[in-house]
Each structure stands twice: as structure tokens, then as C-alpha cells.
Amino acid sequence: LRRKLFEHTGGMFPELVTRADLEIFLPPINGLTIYMVGDVATIPDPDAPLVVRLHDESYDAELFGSHASTGRLWLVYGIEECVRAAQAGGCGLIVYARQEGNALGEVAKFLVHNARAKSQQGSDVRQREEETERVTGAADVRLYELCADPLLWLGISRIHTFVTSSGAKTRAVQAAGIEIIKTVKLPASLLPPSAIAEANFKEERSKGSFSNPVSPLFGSNNGPPVPPAPLLEGPASPRRSGAPAHRFISLTSHAAQFSVSPLPVRWGAAEPASRGAVVATLAHPQHRNAIGTHNGPYAVYRAVGIAKQIIDPSRPLDLQSTEPVVTIGPYPSWYNADAIVALDPWGAMVSAPDSALSAAARARGVSVQPSIAISRFEARMPEIVEALREGRLSADGAILREGGVVSCIKASI
């Protein structure tokens, strides 16, 4: 996996193959946002009503109302179910992941739209699958293996209502040890005629009836894995018991940019002081304990801002009054090194002045920034206004107000 990440990002992250002792990678991919409707304190309670919608971005549908995708329809229906759970004394979650076009990207998605419009495939789901693979090389490359991580971060062990027609998402959540009482899909009455074929296509594909989008994280379904090219021998690196021995390339150029005395970090440690902060600072590269950089794809914008002298990289940030509006965790899932791997569960707590998590970093002059921000949010969507008018929802003055305003807590990761 490390070698493929190195090779297929054009060698952007040489530490993937030069530093086998660094086991945390901050990839340049988009994050996700969790919208929480109702009493956040009830989320880890297995007996409190909990609705979950794992939703993947569909920008043209959600912002501009395109019916080429059912994204906005699913999103609004998920919000309706969240409001009902909150009004019943529980909570509803929309986990909004930025995996546009099944993580193939928007350009690939629109090319598929063009191809479908010109073909004679109609609503045949198998033909739609073949058309997608012909144009993009794959139908779906979303990281289903990681989709349960935000749910584990919230301490969830049981979902009462899972809003999805995706068997892949259902299987991934259950594989993480989370019980699902029932799944509900988008009612046919809410589908315009132009979106029915797309809805059928997604549902059939997710069942694994033909091309199964869920594959092992390592290896391939197309025969035995190809062995990586041999790496140069190097000194033995620290590793977990039972892990294979590592070999790595010796990199001599720009050595000062790489970690020589990484700050300690023990992923899955129960005590914050023992866990330590994830450090990918470029101001103190000798203390880095992670590959990549913070800010995901926005690191490129920051680099250009520094080059244009808009940003002074030496100026310390003032994070006063930015603390989370509600406290989340810690939960037992935070202490399982194999349970949560796609986000830092302590990411909202690291910047507090008295944080034991970042004490070692502060002692060496390293400024630690949060990777999770938790704030309040009010949403108003015309479809929710319509649901109020038609009686599918009713205003309660707190969770859902007259005028269709939904009160939420949002966490950006």
C-alpha cells in the first residue's frame, strides 16, 4: 500500500518508502463534515433513537438541483429522518463525505453523464455499470473500509435507522461492530421520473449482484498481487510485534526537511499524555511524526499564499475562543488502534492550553492545531419547508422551527 501510494501520487510523499518508522499518513484528500440534529449526548446511548445517513458529495445535484444524480433527494430525506429521531428524544446524523463521483471526481462523473445521454442503455443497470467502467476504468473507488470511522469516533454501537440503499455501506458499518436495527431507502414517491434509472442503478450495484465495489484494501481481485520493486537495504526500524521487517530507500537530498527526532505518538493509547499529538509541522520538521501535511488539499493553497507573501509562516496562530461548542468523547473506540484509522479522535482537543495530548509538542516549541472543529449550524432548505407544509414534518420550536430552520451541531474533520 505504501509503495502504491508513493508511485501513484507521482512520488509526492517519499517518506512512504524512506521512513518505515513513521506509520501515520495525512493524505491530500478532502475531509468530511458531520451534521448532528438533536441531543448530541444521546448518540452513544444504544437505547436512544439514532438515525444515520452516510452521504457522499454530489455537487451538481445538491447545489444546482440536477436530476442526473439522486444526491440531493437522499440528503433531504436523510435530514427529514434526522429531525424525526431528534424530536423523539434521540439524534440524527448526516455524515457528509467529499467523495464526488464515487471518488472518481467530477470530471469523470460528467463524462459518464455524457456517455449515458448518448447511449441507448435506458434503465438497464448492468449496461449502466459497463458504461461507467468503459469511461472511467471503474464504477466506484470510494473507501468503504473507512466509512465507519466517524461513527466510532462518536461512540456509536447501535444505529436504529440507517438511511441507505447501499449494501456496501451497510456491510462496512456492520464489519466495524456497529449494530443496525433497520435500513430505509428513499421512497419512490420522492423520485422524479428522470432519477428512477439512477436510483435503480445505485441500488443494484450496491448489492454486489454484478461488479462488487467493495474490495480488500490490500491486493487485487484480478489475480495475485504484484511484488513491489526491491527497496534498498537500510537500518532496522522500530515496528510492532509480529509486523514484517521493513527496508527503505536512503534519501540524502533535502534531509533537513525530514524528521530526525520525531515526537512520540502511540495510536490507540488510552491516556492523552501517552497518546501524544500528531505532528506534521513544517516549521519544526525534525519533530514530525507523520507523513504528509495538515490541511489536506488546501496545503497547496497555503504554499502558494506563502509564495505570494500573503501568509507569514512564522506567525503563530491565535486559537483563543475556538474550542468546541459541545464535548464529544473520549469513548472506548478511541483506544482501539485498529478501530479508528481515518481521523484523529483527539483532533478537537489538542489545542487547549492545558492539553496533556500536546504537552510534549509544546515543550519543544511546536504549535499543535486542531484537525476537528465543532460548531453550531442552522440549515434551511426549501424541501424541508415543503415537508412542513405537507405535514410530513412538524415544527417544535427548538429542533425544527417555523420557516423550516433545522438547528444542528456540525463537526468538520
Side-chain angles (χ1 to χ4, degrees):
L1 176 64
R2 293 172 75 112
R3 174 164 283 278
K4 292 304 178 187
L5 286 168
F6 171 71
E7 291 175 348
H8 292 276
T9 57
M12 288 171 62
F13 302 100
E15 290 164 298
L16 287 167
V17 292
T18 64
R19 293 297 301 272
D21 58 311
L22 300 182
E23 297 186 334
I24 298 174
F25 178 41
L26 307 179
I29 60 176
N30 291 308
L32 56 85
T33 304
I34 306 173
Y35 296 92
M36 295 167 268
V37 183
D39 186 354
V40 174
T42 68
I43 292 176
D45 183 353
D47 296 322
L50 179 65
V51 166
V52 172
R53 165 69 184 162
L54 298 180
H55 189 87
D56 296 308
E57 178 184 76
S58 181
Y59 201 73
D60 59 321
E62 289 151 13
L63 187 62
F64 295 102
S66 168
H67 284 169
S69 168
T70 55
R72 185 179 175 93
L73 302 172
W74 274 105
L75 180 61
V76 172
Y77 181 64
I79 294 173
E80 288 188 26
E81 289 291 325
C82 288
V83 169
R84 293 186 185 99
Q87 290 177 334
C91 195
L93 309 177
I94 303 290
V95 181
Y96 191 90
R98 290 163 185 88
Q99 301 186 104
E100 178 68 64
N102 292 347
L104 295 164
E106 196 169 51
V107 170
K109 173 181 171 179
F110 287 2
L111 292 174
V112 170
H113 288 176
N114 290 348
R116 289 178 181 172
K118 294 178 181 179
S119 74
Q120 303 298 318
Q121 60 185 296
S123 60
D124 184 280
V125 292
R126 187 179 298 275
Q127 290 182 358
R128 292 174 74 91
E129 175 87 356
E130 292 171 352
E131 192 82 354
T132 302
E133 292 184 351
R134 175 182 69 80
V135 174
T136 66
D140 193 345
V141 293
R142 286 174 286 183
L143 296 175
Y144 290 100
E145 300 89 346
L146 307 179
C147 70
D149 278 35
L151 308 181
L152 295 172
W153 174 63
L154 291 166
I156 293 172
S157 60
R158 175 184 291 168
I159 297 171
H160 291 76
T161 303
F162 193 36
V163 183
T164 189
S165 64
S166 170
K169 291 179 181 178
T170 301
R171 291 190 294 272
V173 170
Q174 291 173 330
I178 298 174
E179 179 186 4
I180 297 175
I181 303 298
K182 70 173 180 177
T183 61
V184 297
K185 63 181 182 179
L186 186 66
S189 60
L190 298 181
L191 285 170
S194 58
I196 291 175
E198 177 72 10
N200 291 340
F201 167 62
K202 289 183 176 180
E203 183 171 359
E204 289 300 317
R205 176 166 50 83
S206 74
K207 294 177 181 177
S209 54
F210 35 108
S211 187
N212 190 347
V214 181
S215 60
L217 190 58
F218 301 97
S220 169
N221 290 330
N222 301 318
V226 178
L231 303 180
L232 299 179
E233 294 285 356
S237 62
R239 60 183 187 271
R240 295 186 298 271
S241 175
H246 295 295
R247 294 177 298 163
F248 62 89
I249 296 170
S250 296
L251 187 73
T252 56
S253 63
H254 299 83
Q257 292 187 8
F258 296 94
S259 179
V260 293
S261 55
L263 285 161
V265 58
R266 292 177 55 219
W267 198 265
E271 296 298 327
S274 299
R275 207 318 284 272
V278 175
V279 177
T281 175
L282 301 175
H284 302 275
Q286 69 274 23
H287 297 321
R288 288 163 53 90
N289 58 26
I291 301 167
T293 182
H294 296 294
N295 299 323
Y298 292 102
V300 175
Y301 293 92
R302 176 176 171 80
V304 174
I306 293 172
K308 294 168 67 176
Q309 299 183 356
I310 298 172
I311 298 174
D312 177 2
S314 65
R315 178 184 176 183
L317 300 181
D318 183 358
L319 298 173
Q320 184 177 354
S321 302
T322 64
E323 61 275 0
V325 297
V326 296
T327 299
I328 293 177
Y331 298 114
S333 55
W334 294 23
Y335 315 141
N336 183 343
D338 297 320
I340 299 177
V341 298
L343 59 92
D344 180 2
W346 299 92
M349 304 180 180
V350 297
S351 60
D354 58 347
S355 172
L357 191 79
S358 54
R362 292 198 307 272
R364 297 200 198 182
V366 176
S367 175
V368 179
Q369 301 173 30
S371 59
I372 299 176
I374 305 173
S375 57
R376 299 191 185 279
F377 175 69
E378 290 189 340
R380 187 181 187 278
M381 303 177 74
E383 293 91 342
I384 300 299
V385 176
E386 181 181 352
L388 273 171
R389 185 171 59 248
E390 295 181 353
R392 297 200 307 272
L393 294 175
S394 58
D396 59 83
I399 295 162
L400 178 60
R401 302 201 300 272
E402 294 293 344
V405 177
V406 181
S407 297
C408 309
I409 298 292
K410 61 180 179 180
S412 179
I413 301 175

